[in-house]
Amino acid sequence: MSGADTSFEKIAFTAAATPEAEAARIRLADLYGETTLEEAEVIVALGGDGMMLQTLHAVRGRGVPIYGMHRGSVGFLMNTYREDLLRERLNAAIQVKIHPLAMEAVDQQGNRHRAHAFNEVALFRQTYQAGKLKVRIDGRERLEELICDGIIIATPAGSTAYNLSAHGPILPLGTPLLALTPISPFRPRRWRGALVPDKASIEIEVLEPAKRPMSAVADHSEVRNVISVSAALDASSSSAMLFDPDHGLEERILREQFVY
């Protein structure tokens, strides 16, 4: 995490598909000018956390930072929306670099599907029957049988998203851990999840996939009828977010742990 070390002039704007976000994009483009995503030095994303995730994926590996402003329904990853002093805010912002999870899912036909996730990789049951899973960490079996509605592998950046709703732990940024959180676990009933090193490789095998079909999701990418899913942090890939100094992501993650 570091302060911005450049003066941003070429700004590209992206907006969620809502009237509020699109109107904000038009106003800001009129005020500050607009360039293409390919030529931009910085991208301003307007919307909610879903829009931020879409933009992170769109520029992954390009080194172009993203400054989000809240014009959506959920804005944990977004800064407060204001139209004045945008360049000054960009130049004063704190930069946070995050690495995604790399997921590989194998479906019942043997096809392999790959995707990245900045928030989480998750498995969900597709029918009324609970899923039955086997969990391995770095090739070693840790859970022989987990019966549940699903399971989440969350990064620190994603630990306050669906992971938190499933009663998983909040991980401060920079913590070298991933959260492994079950969704409505039935057996073992007392298992509430685990913290694993972020260098670990996590493999989840779907037991009885024909009877208990499962879907795998990496942020917005879904694969149905999977038989196995593996996930590991991709240290070779990253994207960067910009936050106002008084509204940083690390502070919000810390504050979230004291909300009751």
Side-chain angles (χ1 to χ4, degrees):
M1 183 168 56
S2 61
D5 57 0
T6 186
S7 178
F8 297 116
E9 295 296 331
K10 296 180 179 180
I11 306 172
F13 296 95
T14 62
T18 65
E20 183 182 31
E22 181 58 23
R25 186 194 66 79
I26 293 171
R27 288 196 298 271
L28 290 170
D30 286 342
L31 286 169
Y32 298 99
E34 184 176 21
T35 189
T36 64
L37 289 175
E38 291 73 25
E39 297 179 347
E41 297 170 336
V42 64
I43 297 170
V44 174
L46 302 160
D49 287 350
M51 187 63 209
M52 172 60 83
L53 283 174
Q54 290 178 29
T55 310
L56 285 168
H57 283 282
V59 301
R60 179 173 59 86
R62 285 180 45 195
V64 181
I66 305 162
Y67 182 86
M69 284 204 285
H70 187 206
R71 292 282 88 181
S73 57
V74 180
F76 189 84
L77 299 175
M78 313 302 271
N79 298 286
T80 303
Y81 180 80
R82 288 206 331 261
E83 295 181 6
D84 62 314
L85 301 174
L86 177 59
R87 282 199 170 85
E88 288 82 353
R89 290 177 73 187
L90 292 173
N91 293 331
I94 302 298
Q95 184 172 128
V96 177
K97 184 177 291 186
I98 58 174
H99 299 282
L101 290 166
M103 179 191 80
E104 181 176 275
V106 181
D107 64 26
Q108 293 182 26
Q109 286 71 46
N111 301 310
R112 294 181 179 272
H113 307 263
R114 294 176 177 85
H116 282 81
F118 285 99
N119 266 6
E120 73 271 322
V121 169
L123 276 78
F124 303 100
R125 66 182 175 99
Q126 291 179 193
T127 67
Y128 66 91
Q129 286 195 301
K132 187 180 288 188
L133 308 172
K134 185 189 296 287
V135 178
R136 299 183 182 91
I137 309 294
D138 289 332
R140 181 176 177 182
E141 184 178 296
R142 294 293 182 176
L143 276 177
E144 180 181 2
E145 183 180 277
L146 170 65
I147 299 177
C148 58
D149 283 353
I151 192 168
I152 300 166
I153 306 166
T155 67
S159 66
T160 54
Y162 189 31
N163 173 73
L164 179 59
S165 298
H167 307 291
I170 295 175
L171 303 177
L173 285 181
T175 303
L177 297 170
L178 301 173
L180 191 60
T181 302
I183 304 169
S184 302
F186 176 72
R187 186 180 300 135
R189 195 179 295 273
R190 295 178 182 273
W191 191 67
R192 291 295 179 262
L195 297 175
V196 302
D198 64 1
K199 294 180 173 60
S201 176
I202 301 168
E203 182 182 356
I204 301 170
E205 179 185 348
V206 179
L207 306 176
E208 303 178 18
K211 180 181 179 181
R212 304 170 185 269
M214 303 285 289
S215 290
V217 177
D219 284 352
H220 301 119
S221 300
E222 181 178 9
V223 183
R224 295 180 68 82
N225 300 308
V226 298
I227 60 172
S228 69
V229 173
S230 61
L233 201 69
D234 185 356
S236 67
S237 180
S238 66
S239 287
M241 296 182 288
L242 295 172
F243 293 96
D244 293 331
D246 60 347
H247 201 54
L249 183 59
E250 193 167 67
E251 167 60 26
R252 272 177 276 180
I253 288 175
L254 183 62
R255 188 169 60 233
E256 191 72 26
Q257 296 177 77
F258 294 90
V259 174
Y260 59 92

